[in-house]
Amino acid sequence: NSETPVSENSKLSLGYKFTAENYSTKQSKANNAYNQNVDAAWAFKGARTEAKVWDSYTNTQDPMFNPNGATNSTVVNGPLVRRERRWQNALGLSADYFLGEKFFVGLDTEWTINRYLNRAGGIQALSNVLNNSVWRYGGKMGYLIAPKTKMFTAVHRTVTHYTEETRIDHHRDTAVDFGISGELSAKMKGLVQTGLVYQNFDRDPSNPNRQRIGRHWTSSVQLDYKPTDRCQFVVAANRGTVDSASTGSRYFITSGINTQYKHKIGAATTWGLNGGVQWDKYNEDFVLVTSNATPAATPPIIKTRRDDNYVLGTSLDTKLNEWASTGVYYTHTARFSTFSGQFSYRDNITGLNVKFML
């Protein structure tokens, strides 16, 4: 990562991340992954105006679960899919303008493209199920209740379009949120937000009675509490909707909490512990054919899918100098699903990381 001043009021940030995951299992080739991320951002802060332009590119082999990210509001896991090479790019812009010392208004937009590269496998190929483009835009207005604390209300429109006609799950969402962000106390900073989202899906010609409208309560909490110079608590909690990774259900409602504790040992070493739980409930019943026999001989299983996800991990990082650090970590992730034979799993990762700051 690097951060370079461009002018008195602006700076440029660049970042690169490479991750290699190698599994010591019988199916190691199916689970091994090599991932790259490139990020760039330009930020400006003037007397009354704040602006930011960013671009984030990812080239990856999709893991057994998708970690939470900007386009995925889960705190532990995301949809379970097999690993395949894909790329993703998100380009965004935001701007805030202060009308006086306290009141401000803002606009923001982000365009995200997701593309799986392997088209083999016919209609069930991930490229036919998950390739999409997402355009999010909206505005906000708020009030400074303290020099570094904002209270705001925001309205956003999100248009999701699946690029292949094999999936008729295009939808348009309208979200209204209320929240507070910034320094919440002398030792705590973060975001507390809640709102409502209205979803409108396209009509499915093969199933005209399929649910098209969704109305859901959403929330997002991100808190960073540092009681002393040596210890830090980070909490992330959420409730929201996420598009399904299969055509059996259009989306699922996710809610969960993830906590992290870091403690500084000596001058250069930091020990960390994290754990979380997440519950996902799908909006439509899944139909599972259990064998190649005729339905009359072996009736399919029809029930609502629910996944309970858990994560527990620990880490140890050492700062080598002002621009480099290294560390080791262990993460255990488990999913328990109502369709246990298809979606339940356990995953253990032991890793080594090296970080550079320029």
Side-chain angles (χ1 to χ4, degrees), residues 319-339:
K319 187 176 181 180
L320 303 177
N321 49 47
E322 292 299 322
W323 51 271
S325 65
T326 185
V328 293
Y329 62 92
Y330 167 78
T331 302
H332 171 76
T333 308
R335 165 175 286 154
F336 302 95
S337 176
T338 51
F339 288 89

Side-chain angles (χ1 to χ4, degrees), residues 61 74 84 93 105 121 136 164 166 221 237 294 298 319 328 334:
Q61 291 162 271
T74 58
E84 285 188 11
L93 166 67
V105 294
R136 183 176 184 266
E164 309 300 327
T166 50
V221 177
T294 62
T298 307
K319 187 176 181 180
V328 293

Side-chain angles (χ1 to χ4, degrees), residues 39 42 44 85 124 136 198 211 215 244 320 331 337:
D39 299 294
W42 173 82
F44 172 85
R85 178 63 58 186
Q124 295 301 321
R136 183 176 184 266
Y198 174 87
Q211 181 179 345
R215 302 177 182 87
S244 172
L320 303 177
T331 302
S337 176

Side-chain angles (χ1 to χ4, degrees), residues 192-243:
V192 179
Q193 177 178 301
T194 187
L196 297 170
V197 61
Y198 174 87
Q199 295 183 293
N200 185 359
F201 285 83
D202 279 5
R203 179 179 179 272
D204 187 348
S206 62
N207 187 4
N209 295 323
R210 194 177 190 188
Q211 181 179 345
R212 294 183 56 198
I213 304 299
R215 302 177 182 87
H216 307 288
W217 163 63
T218 63
S219 64
S220 178
V221 177
Q222 300 173 26
L223 300 177
D224 188 328
Y225 176 59
K226 196 170 184 179
T228 70
D229 291 337
R230 289 193 171 274
C231 64
Q232 180 184 22
F233 295 89
V234 178
V235 177
N238 79 300
R239 187 182 193 275
T241 62
V242 179
D243 281 13

Side-chain angles (χ1 to χ4, degrees), residues 239-312:
R239 187 182 193 275
T241 62
V242 179
D243 281 13
S244 172
S246 69
T247 56
S249 183
R250 281 179 156 166
Y251 64 89
F252 61 87
I253 299 174
T254 179
S255 57
I257 182 170
N258 201 337
T259 61
Q260 183 182 56
Y261 172 74
K262 291 185 177 181
H263 189 88
K264 192 172 182 180
I265 305 170
T269 302
T270 301
W271 171 74
L273 179 67
N274 70 283
V277 59
Q278 175 186 303
W279 303 275
D280 300 333
K281 185 176 181 180
Y282 287 72
N283 76 310
E284 297 173 295
D285 288 344
F286 269 62
V287 179
L288 178 66
V289 179
T290 57
S291 72
N292 293 326
T294 62
T298 307
I301 299 174
I302 303 176
K303 59 182 177 182
T304 300
R305 177 182 168 186
R306 171 178 164 167
D307 298 340
D308 297 340
N309 307 273
Y310 303 91
V311 65
L312 182 66

Side-chain angles (χ1 to χ4, degrees), residues 14 29 38 86 96 117 120 161 181-182 231 257 260 291 311 337:
L14 299 173
K29 290 185 178 180
V38 181
R86 70 178 178 93
D96 292 343
L117 303 183
H161 178 78
S181 65
C231 64
I257 182 170
Q260 183 182 56
S291 72
V311 65
S337 176

Side-chain angles (χ1 to χ4, degrees), residues 9-43:
N9 297 323
S10 64
K11 61 182 179 181
L12 178 66
S13 301
L14 299 173
Y16 173 78
K17 180 180 180 181
F18 172 79
T19 304
E21 296 180 3
N22 294 281
Y23 283 77
S24 58
T25 64
K26 294 180 180 180
Q27 297 179 335
S28 59
K29 290 185 178 180
N31 293 321
N32 293 345
Y34 304 94
N35 312 317
Q36 298 184 77
N37 302 85
V38 181
D39 299 294
W42 173 82

